[in-house]
Amino acid sequence: MKGSSMNTHLGNIVIDNEVIAQFAGTVAMESFGVVGMSGINVKDGLVSLLKKENLSKGINVTVRNHKLYLDFHIIVSYGVSIMAVADNLVETVKYRVEDFTGLEVQKVNVYVEGVRAID
């Protein structure tokens, strides 16, 4: 299990990276302008919209020195400012993940993999 651990006065707490990725994916989907997370087929270079149960596949979580580094691969809504979407995503995810895990989010990278019109 890859994860982050914290020592407390009650014992050791370990949070699996998959749990952090699932939570961060849920937060990202609530953010303005984010249509979905994208999965990338490296072999073919194809980008696909992930379903809700696979959101964590569009997020890479790395833990170094008890600090989190998050990489998001997202698809944004057509017609919105990508900069505004990215700024909102970074601020929201940073605050909510730090509150959820108790760990500092050192860096959030946002990779816009596509644009999609909303029906």
Side-chain angles (χ1 to χ4, degrees):
M1 173 171 84
K2 286 177 89 175
S4 57
S5 65
M6 296 174 278
N7 291 319
T8 68
H9 67 284
L10 297 174
N12 194 29
I13 300 171
V14 178
I15 305 171
D16 191 289
N17 287 353
E18 181 70 17
V19 172
I20 297 169
Q22 287 174 352
F23 181 77
T26 302
V27 171
M29 289 303 298
E30 295 170 357
S31 296
F32 168 78
V34 176
V35 174
M37 306 303 294
S38 69
I40 302 169
N41 183 338
V42 177
K43 179 181 172 190
D44 299 330
L46 298 174
V47 175
S48 62
L49 184 64
L50 296 172
K51 296 186 185 320
K52 283 189 178 184
E53 54 273 359
N54 293 325
L55 290 178
S56 63
K57 293 191 181 0
I59 303 168
N60 184 33
V61 177
T62 307
V63 181
R64 278 186 247 132
N65 300 324
H66 300 288
K67 295 184 180 181
L68 295 173
Y69 297 82
L70 305 171
D71 294 330
F72 284 83
H73 297 271
I74 63 170
I75 297 173
V76 298
S77 177
Y78 177 80
V80 298
S81 166
I82 291 175
M83 185 61 79
V85 171
D87 284 345
N88 182 49
L89 177 67
V90 169
E91 290 300 317
T92 304
V93 165
K94 184 175 179 357
Y95 174 76
R96 301 250 331 253
V97 169
E98 285 179 348
D99 187 51
F100 179 67
T101 64
L103 296 169
E104 180 184 348
V105 175
Q106 184 68 32
K107 192 172 199 177
V108 178
N109 296 312
V110 178
Y111 300 93
V112 178
E113 302 292 349
V115 176
R116 191 159 281 175
I118 298 177
D119 298 331

